């Protein structure tokens, strides 16, 4: 379609304005990077050996401010993702942060690392959730990202078990919407004899598999990204994983969005050795156990309710020490250093036979 000279001139004017805006944005980003370096110099003055460069509470505050200011055509989440990347690049100028996660590359855990820390973070893929904790405890990574709970399949047992034993603290929370794909080297579902995926993914796609591939053998493996890797070696294998994994490993996506629930979301926690300061909108997580007597749990929860402290999550798991005893994973709103939360925690400690504070951390600004 031909356009008039007047329209051409208008387009040129708009493009020139875009070029001018781009130059201004680039200059401002460069100034921000210089400020980040100044922060690094200030933190390391005096020859400090152990300096904390990444502050989860500070980043949460910055992103919340971005969301509050945003009145543009760009969605809040997209605007925050842009700033997330700017902060990631600037942090790398101060000190590259290394993050351990359940690999290999292309897993949902890998996607959660990018969402929380940006693409400039250094990543370390490991073979199990337990090893994520181990490498952070050994100082081989600054933080670890682990799946905690899925909206349809419930708590991740390996993470629960590791949280009971670790000395690490929960420092952040990330919710990731999970969309599963069926992928293979084959070009049709009928030629697939076995489907491989992480046990949680198999559970999340159970009905779809029964309805659409009732003939296949099912096998649980360590991660969905590993399943995708396996499918590259055998064209009779189908893997359940992300679209990113299919692209990364060169597999055909035969079906998309095969999860049984389209509200399918997994909660991830960041864990590290440093406690997180209050950000103004925080959660506190803990594990408790109480004597096996009537009203014991209600008595513990009254310590929060009586102070108007909201509980956001409670999960019970059988104790491995005493038959028929249970441990309760409890998340509440508020930071452990807040006066009312601190009082409630002290009271709960007196009412329980076991208490472990997992940490306080910012609530995620992302929807």
């Amino acid at each position: 379609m031909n356009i008039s000279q007047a329209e051409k001139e208008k387009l040129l004017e708009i493009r020139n304005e875009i070029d001018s805006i781009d130059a201004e944005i680039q200059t401002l980003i460069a100034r921000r990077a210089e400020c980040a370096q100044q922060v690094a110099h200030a933190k390391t003055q005096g020859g400090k050996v152990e300096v904390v460069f990444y502050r989860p509470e500070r980043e949460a505050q910055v992103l919340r401010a971005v969301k509050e200011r945003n009145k543009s055509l760009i969605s809040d989440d997209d605007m925050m993702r842009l700033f997330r990347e700017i902060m990631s690049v600037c942090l790398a100028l101060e000190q590259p942060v290394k993050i351990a996660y359940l690999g290999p590359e292309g897993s949902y855990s890998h996607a959660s690392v990018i969402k929380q820390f940006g693409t400039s973070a250094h990543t370390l893929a490991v073979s199990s959730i337990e090893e994520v904790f181990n490498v952070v405890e050994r100082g081989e990574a600054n933080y670890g990202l682990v799946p905690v709970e899925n909206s349809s399949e419930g708590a991740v047992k390996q993470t629960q078990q590791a949280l009971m034993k670790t000395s690490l603290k929960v420092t952040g929370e990330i919710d990731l919407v999970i969309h599963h794909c069926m992928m293979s080297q084959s070009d049709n579902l009928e030629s697939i004899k076995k489907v491989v995926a992480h046990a949680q993914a198999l559970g999340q796609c159970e009905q779809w598999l029964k309805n659409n591939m009732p003939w296949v053998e099912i096998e649980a493996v360590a991660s969905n990204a590993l399943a995708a890797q396996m499918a590259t070696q055998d064209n009779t294998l189908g893997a359940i994983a992300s679209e990113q994994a299919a692209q990364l490993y060169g597999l055909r996506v035969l079906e998309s969005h095969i999860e049984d629930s389209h509200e399918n979301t997994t909660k991830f926690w960041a864990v590290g050795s440093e406690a997180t300061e209050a950000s103004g909108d925080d959660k506190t997580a803990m594990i408790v156990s109480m004597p096996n007597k009537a009203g014991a749990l209600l008595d513990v929860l009254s310590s929060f309710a009586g102070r108007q402290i909201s509980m956001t999550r409670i999960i019970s798991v059988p104790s491995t020490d005493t038959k028929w005893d249970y441990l309760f994973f409890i998340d509440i709103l508020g930071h452990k250093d807040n006066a009312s939360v601190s009082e409630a925690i002290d009271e709960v400690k007196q009412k329980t036979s076991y208490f472990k504070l997992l940490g306080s951390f910012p609530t995620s600004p992302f929807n």
Side-chain angles (χ1 to χ4, degrees), residues 22-166:
D22 286 348
E24 187 176 352
I25 290 171
Q26 189 171 351
T27 299
L28 292 172
I29 291 174
R31 282 177 55 192
R32 195 188 195 285
E34 289 171 2
C35 289
Q37 275 204 324
Q38 291 172 20
V39 168
H41 292 154
K43 286 182 176 180
T44 54
Q45 278 184 347
K48 297 175 184 176
V49 178
E50 293 188 12
V51 178
V52 178
F53 288 93
Y54 174 72
R55 299 303 320 185
E57 69 279 0
R58 169 62 180 159
E59 294 214 346
Q61 290 167 345
V62 171
L63 289 174
R64 288 172 195 153
V66 168
K67 187 175 184 178
E68 182 67 25
R69 289 194 302 264
N70 185 38
K71 308 298 180 187
S72 71
L73 297 175
I74 300 172
S75 71
D76 288 347
D77 278 3
D78 284 343
M79 185 67 80
M80 286 190 291
R81 274 193 285 271
L82 288 171
F83 273 82
R84 164 72 277 167
E85 280 304 305
I86 292 171
M87 288 191 289
S88 180
V89 171
C90 290
L91 179 62
L93 293 174
E94 296 182 52
Q95 171 85 18
V97 178
K98 181 177 283 188
I99 315 299
Y101 68 96
L102 176 62
E105 186 180 359
S107 66
Y108 291 109
S109 291
H110 185 222
S112 74
V113 170
I114 293 171
K115 183 172 183 179
Q116 180 70 357
F117 294 94
T119 55
S120 293
H122 292 193
T123 57
L124 175 62
V126 299
S127 59
S128 69
I129 289 172
E130 183 180 19
E131 187 62 10
V132 173
F133 285 86
N134 291 341
V135 297
V136 180
E137 287 171 349
R138 293 195 299 263
E140 296 171 18
N142 303 101
Y143 294 91
L145 252 292
V146 291
V148 177
E149 184 181 10
N150 178 264
S151 57
S152 59
E153 285 298 293
V156 180
K157 291 181 180 179
Q158 300 97 316
T159 299
Q160 287 182 325
Q161 291 166 357
L163 287 167
M164 293 177 199
K165 298 181 290 185
T166 189

Side-chain angles (χ1 to χ4, degrees), residues 144-210:
L145 252 292
V146 291
V148 177
E149 184 181 10
N150 178 264
S151 57
S152 59
E153 285 298 293
V156 180
K157 291 181 180 179
Q158 300 97 316
T159 299
Q160 287 182 325
Q161 291 166 357
L163 287 167
M164 293 177 199
K165 298 181 290 185
T166 189
S167 61
L168 301 177
K169 302 169 182 66
V170 180
T171 64
E173 181 177 80
I174 310 96
D175 287 341
L176 191 71
V177 177
I178 305 296
H179 293 307
H180 292 304
C181 300
M182 175 61 64
M183 59 195 67
S184 178
Q185 281 194 316
S186 173
D187 59 3
N188 62 84
L189 294 177
E190 289 72 22
S191 60
I192 295 173
K193 297 178 181 178
K194 180 191 286 188
V195 171
V196 290
H198 189 274
Q200 285 261 336
L202 291 172
Q204 292 160 25
C205 304
E206 182 178 7
Q207 288 303 315
W208 188 92
L209 288 169
K210 286 180 179 178

Side-chain angles (χ1 to χ4, degrees), residues 1-15:
M1 182 179 68
N2 294 327
I3 60 175
S4 67
Q5 184 61 35
E7 288 171 326
K8 287 180 180 179
E9 290 175 358
K10 181 62 176 177
L11 280 174
L12 181 60
E13 180 183 340
I14 295 170
R15 286 167 179 160

Side-chain angles (χ1 to χ4, degrees), residues 134-338:
N134 291 341
V135 297
V136 180
E137 287 171 349
R138 293 195 299 263
E140 296 171 18
N142 303 101
Y143 294 91
L145 252 292
V146 291
V148 177
E149 184 181 10
N150 178 264
S151 57
S152 59
E153 285 298 293
V156 180
K157 291 181 180 179
Q158 300 97 316
T159 299
Q160 287 182 325
Q161 291 166 357
L163 287 167
M164 293 177 199
K165 298 181 290 185
T166 189
S167 61
L168 301 177
K169 302 169 182 66
V170 180
T171 64
E173 181 177 80
I174 310 96
D175 287 341
L176 191 71
V177 177
I178 305 296
H179 293 307
H180 292 304
C181 300
M182 175 61 64
M183 59 195 67
S184 178
Q185 281 194 316
S186 173
D187 59 3
N188 62 84
L189 294 177
E190 289 72 22
S191 60
I192 295 173
K193 297 178 181 178
K194 180 191 286 188
V195 171
V196 290
H198 189 274
Q200 285 261 336
L202 291 172
Q204 292 160 25
C205 304
E206 182 178 7
Q207 288 303 315
W208 188 92
L209 288 169
K210 286 180 179 178
N211 294 337
N212 295 276
M213 302 179 72
W215 65 87
V216 295
E217 180 185 350
I218 303 295
E219 181 182 337
V221 296
S223 74
N224 296 319
L226 175 60
Q229 282 186 337
M230 293 170 63
T232 65
Q233 306 300 316
D234 184 346
N235 60 11
T236 67
L237 279 184
I240 297 174
S242 65
E243 186 173 355
Q244 178 191 6
Q247 294 171 354
L248 185 63
Y249 298 111
L251 295 169
R252 293 186 180 91
V253 174
L254 303 181
E255 294 286 346
S256 299
H257 291 209
I258 66 171
E259 62 278 0
D260 296 330
S261 170
H262 295 302
E263 301 297 322
N264 191 29
T265 302
T266 296
K267 185 185 300 297
F268 292 83
W269 276 351
V271 293
S273 58
E274 299 289 335
T276 303
E277 296 179 7
S279 72
D281 186 2
D282 303 279
K283 290 182 180 180
T284 296
M286 66 200 75
I287 308 173
V288 304
S289 184
M290 63 282 300
N292 189 3
K293 63 179 183 180
L297 177 59
L298 183 60
D299 188 31
V300 167
L301 298 183
S302 69
S303 297
F304 304 122
R307 294 174 173 83
Q308 303 299 306
I309 298 171
S310 297
M311 183 175 63
T312 61
R313 191 176 75 113
I314 182 168
I315 294 175
S316 64
V317 297
S319 170
T320 56
D321 297 328
T322 306
K323 188 176 182 181
W324 305 122
D325 271 6
Y326 286 84
L327 294 168
F328 294 88
F329 286 74
I330 298 175
D331 298 353
I332 60 172
L333 291 181
H335 193 276
K336 65 179 179 63
D337 292 337
N338 294 353

